[in-house]
Amino acid sequence: MSSLTFFTNLRKGLKRHSFPILLLLPALIWIFSLSIYPTIDVIRLSFTSDKVPGVVGPYCGLDNYIRLFKDTRFHMVMRNTFGLAFLELTLRILVSLPIALLLNEAKKYGETLCAFLLLPGTISGVVISFIIQWLLNPGYGLVNYYLMTFGIVSEPFEITKNMFTAWTGLLIASIWGGFPSTVIILFAALRAIPEDLYESAKVDGANAFQRFVHVTLPWLRPTLRYLIILGTIFGLRGFFIFSYIITKGGPAGQTEVYGTYLFRTLLNNYQFGYASAMSVFMLILNFIMIALYLSSLKLGYITEGGG
Amino acid sequence: MRLSMRTKNKIKGILVYTTIIVIIFVHLIPIYWTASTAFKYLEDVYNMPPEWIPKRPTLDAYVRVFVSRPLFHWVWNTMVLSGAVTFLTVVVSALAAYSISRFRFPGSQYASLMIIATRFIPPMATTVPIFLMYQALGIYNTMIGLVLILTFLQLPFRIWLLNAFFESIPWDLEEMGMIDGCTRVGAFFRIIIPISLPAFSAVGILTFIGTWNSFYWPLVLTQGAENKVLSLGIYDFIGDTMIFTNELCAGGIIMSIPSFLFVIFASKYMIRGLTAGALKGL
């Protein structure tokens, strides 16, 4: 096809479909100029030098990437990001599943009770951060007062004391705000289980535990897989607010995560090249996870018969 | 036998409800404690043992937080920002979703997939180019700049939601309207928009709350007092001091008002919508 006919066809096509394309255009331009363009540009920027802070320098090859792989702080950031994401996801599902099962037993008022549960999930992360800080305040916090009064701990719990306390604090903040929406997703999936599945299991003489293992869990499997995969993909971006506000990355960088390290490199040190290399590495990890997700979906169709 | 089965069910019901109510109670203690701190004088905030119910309830902290901080300015900024983002998101995503769900044109089958795929690019990873682009375009530290990025963040998922909703509306409805003499645009305004109002309000509410709570992009793309939004204002407040805890709590409660309204008035319907089938195919 010559280029002339191509353009004539394109023009004809655009003319014939101008109305729907016109409707779609604002959204497409908006989305692409703020996602596709920056995604390409960040790759270019990752090859530029940042010898002079605040200026995009000349191209310097793979320097930024070499620096990234040698940066011991960045190694710790990776450990923190994945460690916190893994713990958060595991704990969140372990907390949410029993509550969703309970709510499902509350036949009539399940939705209403769910709504009450949701409250912290809709509150700003900034507010959650200081609520948790205030509650866990070593001198005047409610939690420490009762922990000390009942003799559960001998000295007050202090978030910034060491890595264990800092991670605990961040996980509490994140799970307190995050588990309600997980409960709702699981609850919605549970409500969708046809009642007769349980009836026939009962007829077959299955007890409550057997019904849970053989009816409920298989039915929840796609939902759980969805939660795990989204949790992993979004885990890469997670903990920014809590780490930035509650622990400020400390103590000694033990809670520095991807988002906070990127932010500091960019806006405290103005190292555009290095921050870009870090971003590109994040994009690569992100796409590896999505590829794993897509392949697991295909495998899922084979092993679960389309479930 | 039958009676004992019924009593058994009744006992089970009571146990289930009691457990859930205890869980919700414990779950909401932090919010209660924050609210109760906000109704105390500063001298009473650090009293031990903790005063669960303020002995001298007062609105002192609420008054002070408005006097000592430009809280009103932050609330105003945040309201303008969230309002603009919500309006633009609903309009732009409704048009795009209508186009995807109703027309077939070259590339239309990829359009929705590509739009949703962009949501899986972590926005954080594009911070550097967006920061540089904003400075080059002169929209760094402007409200317009914030509206542009925050609307973009909402669009893909909202288009996807509305697309699913439009697909569930039968074609016949519009065709009947068009036979009755409506144009396509007329059918969109007279038929599609009225039946889509619940979906639009769901999109609007989620967008408003998401934007109201946004922290990362205002932190990256604004500075100084003029364009400060509530989340950044409260963040500065935490950073400055943890001394005026009652005022901080009052600020936090004010910032959470949209969440309270959402939970009281809207969330039940949204949860019902979810359980009614949106997630069945998952």
Side-chain angles (χ1 to χ4, degrees):
Chain A
M1 201 203 304
S2 77
S3 66
L4 193 71
T5 49
F6 173 76
F7 280 113
T8 336
N9 282 343
L10 186 72
R11 214 181 61 201
K12 271 186 191 160
L14 279 179
K15 211 169 181 180
R16 189 150 42 104
H17 302 288
S18 61
F19 184 59
I21 290 174
L22 211 66
L23 291 179
L24 194 56
L25 215 53
L28 280 186
I29 292 173
W30 210 316
I31 290 170
F32 282 66
S33 58
L34 286 169
S35 73
I36 306 291
Y37 163 72
T39 307
I40 295 164
D41 202 34
V42 79
I43 299 172
R44 179 186 72 84
L45 285 165
S46 72
F47 296 113
T48 61
S49 151
D50 47 26
K51 287 266 155 48
V52 188
V55 177
V56 178
Y59 291 102
C60 63
L62 290 170
D63 285 5
N64 289 322
Y65 290 96
I66 293 165
R67 186 176 151 200
L68 190 65
F69 290 113
K70 284 182 183 159
D71 184 354
T72 48
R73 181 87 170 188
F74 183 69
H75 300 160
M76 190 149 80
V77 165
M78 296 301 290
R79 182 204 66 182
N80 295 341
T81 308
F82 283 101
L84 282 168
F86 173 76
L87 286 174
E88 196 266 350
L89 182 64
T90 316
L91 293 172
R92 178 155 53 84
I93 289 178
L94 285 181
V95 170
S96 304
L97 190 56
I99 297 179
L101 288 169
L102 261 176
L103 279 169
N104 193 39
E105 292 297 319
K107 293 290 176 220
K108 213 168 160 191
Y109 299 104
E111 281 96 350
T112 318
L113 292 167
C114 245
F116 281 105
L117 211 58
L118 191 60
L119 188 55
T122 62
I123 285 179
S124 153
V126 179
V127 176
I128 290 189
S129 297
F130 89 71
I131 290 182
I132 294 296
Q133 273 177 299
W134 171 221
L135 234 74
L136 296 179
N137 183 300
Y140 304 98
L142 200 61
V143 172
N144 273 315
Y145 174 79
Y146 287 107
L147 285 181
M148 299 283 282
T149 320
F150 295 124
I152 298 169
V153 291
S154 53
E155 52 182 307
F157 176 88
E158 200 179 340
I159 295 182
T160 48
K161 192 188 264 168
N162 56 40
M163 182 178 150
F164 174 75
T165 57
W167 280 38
T168 309
L170 293 187
L171 286 168
I172 289 172
S174 179
I175 289 169
W176 181 52
F179 90 85
S181 49
T182 308
V183 167
I184 288 168
I185 289 171
L186 288 170
F187 173 68
L190 286 171
R191 276 280 151 108
I193 303 179
E195 199 60 39
D196 30 323
L197 277 183
Y198 287 110
E199 293 303 325
S200 53
K202 260 184 199 167
V203 171
D204 291 346
N207 62 28
F209 178 72
Q210 285 168 328
R211 289 200 296 274
F212 175 72
V213 173
H214 295 292
V215 180
T216 316
L217 269 189
W219 187 276
L220 284 184
R221 207 152 85 184
T223 312
L224 285 172
R225 197 180 52 204
Y226 162 86
L227 285 172
I228 290 167
I229 282 149
L230 275 197
T232 335
I233 293 174
F234 283 85
L236 210 54
R237 323 170 183 182
F239 285 97
F240 173 79
I241 294 186
F242 301 132
S243 170
Y244 188 75
I245 297 178
I246 300 179
T247 57
K248 300 177 181 64
Q254 301 281 11
T255 57
E256 190 89 275
V257 290
Y258 224 127
T260 53
Y261 194 47
L262 183 70
F263 182 85
R264 272 182 244 282
T265 312
L266 173 63
L267 285 171
N268 294 4
N269 305 334
Y270 290 99
Q271 295 172 328
F272 298 138
Y274 192 44
S276 298
M278 216 180 282
S279 309
V280 171
F281 192 64
M282 186 180 186
L283 283 171
I284 292 170
L285 287 176
N286 186 62
F287 286 122
I288 291 174
M289 283 177 195
I290 290 171
L292 288 177
Y293 167 48
L294 292 176
S295 64
S296 90
L297 269 188
K298 273 186 199 135
L299 282 178
Y301 274 110
I302 299 163
T303 54
E304 284 166 33
Chain B
M1 182 64 195
R2 194 165 209 177
L3 195 77
S4 81
M5 192 70 179
R6 259 170 79 182
T7 1
K8 230 169 133 185
N9 274 343
K10 216 171 179 179
I11 293 170
K12 192 183 148 202
I14 293 169
L15 270 177
V16 164
Y17 278 106
T18 328
T19 325
I20 295 174
I21 287 165
V22 168
I23 289 172
I24 290 176
F25 196 71
V26 174
H27 178 63
L28 295 181
I29 283 179
I31 292 174
Y32 172 78
W33 183 239
T34 311
S36 118
T37 308
F39 285 112
K40 287 175 190 170
Y41 286 104
L42 189 57
E43 306 93 89
D44 298 344
V45 165
Y46 303 109
N47 280 355
M48 288 291 160
E51 268 178 37
W52 280 87
I53 298 162
K55 285 198 184 102
R56 299 186 296 155
T58 171
L59 288 174
D60 187 58
Y62 285 94
V63 176
R64 274 170 192 276
V65 77
F66 273 102
V67 175
S68 68
R69 308 259 159 182
L71 192 73
F72 186 76
H73 182 67
W74 302 338
V75 171
W76 173 252
N77 278 347
T78 316
M79 262 160 81
V80 171
L81 179 69
S82 312
V85 169
T86 306
F87 175 75
L88 288 167
T89 302
V90 171
V91 172
V92 173
S93 58
L95 295 180
Y98 185 70
S99 168
I100 295 169
S101 67
R102 284 295 184 267
F103 298 96
R104 291 288 159 262
F105 50 90
S108 65
Q109 65 269 45
Y110 304 111
S112 91
L113 192 68
M114 271 169 80
I115 286 171
I116 198 70
T118 59
R119 185 148 155 88
F120 286 94
I121 298 172
M124 244 167 214
T126 59
T127 312
V128 187
I130 286 179
F131 180 77
L132 293 172
M133 180 164 94
Y134 266 52
Q135 296 211 316
L137 293 174
I139 50 175
Y140 174 77
N141 199 18
T142 62
M143 274 290 162
I144 293 172
L146 277 188
V147 169
L148 286 174
I149 184 85
L150 293 173
T151 305
F152 149 70
L153 285 181
Q154 297 287 341
L155 280 177
F157 198 50
R158 305 302 173 223
I159 292 173
W160 185 70
L161 265 177
L162 285 181
N163 183 29
F165 181 79
F166 287 154
E167 301 238 320
S168 74
I169 302 175
W171 260 107
D172 310 2
L173 270 178
E174 282 161 275
E175 276 172 2
M176 262 150 60
M178 272 147 79
I179 289 166
D180 288 347
C182 280
T183 57
R184 175 165 283 291
V185 180
F188 179 72
F189 277 103
R190 291 207 196 131
I191 295 160
I192 298 293
I193 288 188
I195 31 175
S196 310
L197 279 182
F200 288 159
S201 41
V203 164
I205 290 167
L206 292 174
T207 304
F208 189 90
I209 293 204
T211 311
W212 181 274
N213 290 341
S214 61
F215 178 68
Y216 184 74
W217 291 102
L219 188 67
V220 174
L221 295 175
T222 63
Q223 55 180 191
E226 199 202 328
N227 293 314
K228 188 155 282 185
V229 293
L230 202 43
S231 59
L232 288 185
I234 304 257
Y235 165 66
D236 283 353
F237 207 149
I238 308 173
D240 289 357
T241 169
M242 266 300 259
I243 296 170
F244 299 108
T245 306
N246 57 343
E247 290 178 38
L248 189 51
C249 288
I253 295 293
I254 290 168
M255 184 164 184
S256 309
I257 288 173
S259 311
F260 294 135
L261 294 178
F262 170 76
V263 166
I264 293 166
F265 294 112
S267 63
K268 206 169 95 182
Y269 300 102
M270 256 177 228
I271 293 162
R272 203 167 280 164
L274 269 181
T275 51
L279 278 165
K280 265 180 197 163
L282 220 70

